[in-house]
Amino acid sequence: MTAIIDAAKTAGAPNVIVLAGSRRGMSDAEGIDNSVAYFNRIKARAEDKQITLCLEYLNSKVNHPTIT
């Protein structure tokens, strides 16, 4: 993610879309805790580069197809 934040800055893009990912059976609370921990790890770099992190979440009640 740090490389993506740096690339966004270099390209002049003000935002990076961040996906929460698949919970794979995690409870809502555990998924939220993991997301908060992740954002806490990367937020200083995004702030330093003046990049806004935009969380794009998918409805966990629907089976969204993955692209490989």
Side-chain angles (χ1 to χ4, degrees):
M1 181 54 71
T2 57
I4 292 169
I5 291 169
D6 292 348
K9 180 65 175 181
T10 299
N15 306 315
V16 169
I17 297 172
V18 181
L19 300 174
S22 176
R23 294 188 319 180
R24 292 186 171 89
M26 277 185 227
S27 68
D28 289 347
E30 187 178 5
I32 291 167
D33 288 345
N34 284 344
S35 294
V36 169
Y38 181 73
F39 273 98
N40 282 333
R41 287 177 45 203
I42 63 172
K43 69 182 179 185
R45 183 154 200 129
E47 289 171 348
D48 181 54
K49 301 289 182 175
Q50 299 178 325
I51 299 295
T52 300
L53 300 174
C54 305
L55 177 61
E56 173 71 32
Y57 63 94
L58 296 174
N59 181 342
S60 62
K61 306 286 189 258
V62 176
N63 184 17
H64 299 281
T66 57
I67 299 172
T68 56

